[in-house]
């Protein structure tokens, strides 16, 4: 999943990098989406500002990826926020067997 911590780490890593790279996953799945446990926790705490901040950070990561020389390599599941990240890359390559959706 794309958790707020992962989004922040990726954003920090990519900010000043110019080399080409491939965005993929070590597992057999690209991503099952944004971290729903995080969202449920924020809802339970009534923290709508925390949800807004996390979603803005996800959108900012996508905008940053659009400016980089990056290919998203998708296999397995690529759902929700994971698909948004993959499609933000200038190039996206996916196996035919992948399950892709919002």
């Amino acid at each position: 999943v794309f958790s707020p911590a992962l989004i922040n780490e990726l954003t920090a890593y990519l900010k000043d990098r110019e080399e080409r790279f491939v965005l993929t996953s070590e597992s057999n799945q690209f991503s099952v989406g944004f971290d729903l446990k995080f969202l449920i926790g924020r809802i339970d705490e009534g923290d709508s500002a925390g949800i807004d901040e996390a979603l803005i950070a996800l959108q900012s990561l996508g905008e940053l990826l659009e400016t980089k020389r990056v290919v998203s390599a998708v296999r397995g599941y690529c759902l929700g926020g994971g698909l948004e990240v993959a499609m933000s890359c200038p190039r996206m390559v996916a196996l035919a067997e992948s399950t892709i959706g919002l």
Side-chain angles (χ1 to χ4, degrees):
V1 299
F2 277 91
S3 67
L6 175 60
I7 292 166
N8 292 337
E9 289 175 25
L10 276 173
T11 300
Y13 178 79
L14 295 172
K15 268 209 187 294
D16 298 321
R17 301 216 182 259
E18 294 302 322
E19 66 269 9
R20 297 175 183 159
F21 66 97
V22 176
L23 180 64
T24 192
S25 173
E26 290 181 345
S27 77
N28 291 328
Q29 313 303 324
F30 182 81
S31 174
V32 292
F34 191 78
D35 187 354
L36 295 180
K37 288 182 183 178
F38 168 81
L39 290 177
I40 291 169
R42 299 289 76 77
I43 290 167
D44 288 346
E45 294 176 16
D47 182 14
S48 60
I51 293 172
D52 286 344
E53 288 174 17
L55 295 178
I56 288 168
L58 177 64
Q59 184 175 1
S60 296
L61 173 61
E63 291 170 355
L64 178 61
L65 285 168
E66 290 174 355
T67 69
K68 301 297 181 178
R69 296 182 296 174
V70 57
V71 174
S72 57
V74 173
R75 64 178 174 180
Y77 290 107
C78 183
L79 304 172
L83 179 58
E84 290 179 36
V85 170
M87 289 185 353
S88 294
C89 299
R91 300 259 192 253
M92 179 177 159
V93 178
L95 291 176
E97 299 82 19
S98 298
T99 302
I100 297 173
L102 290 173

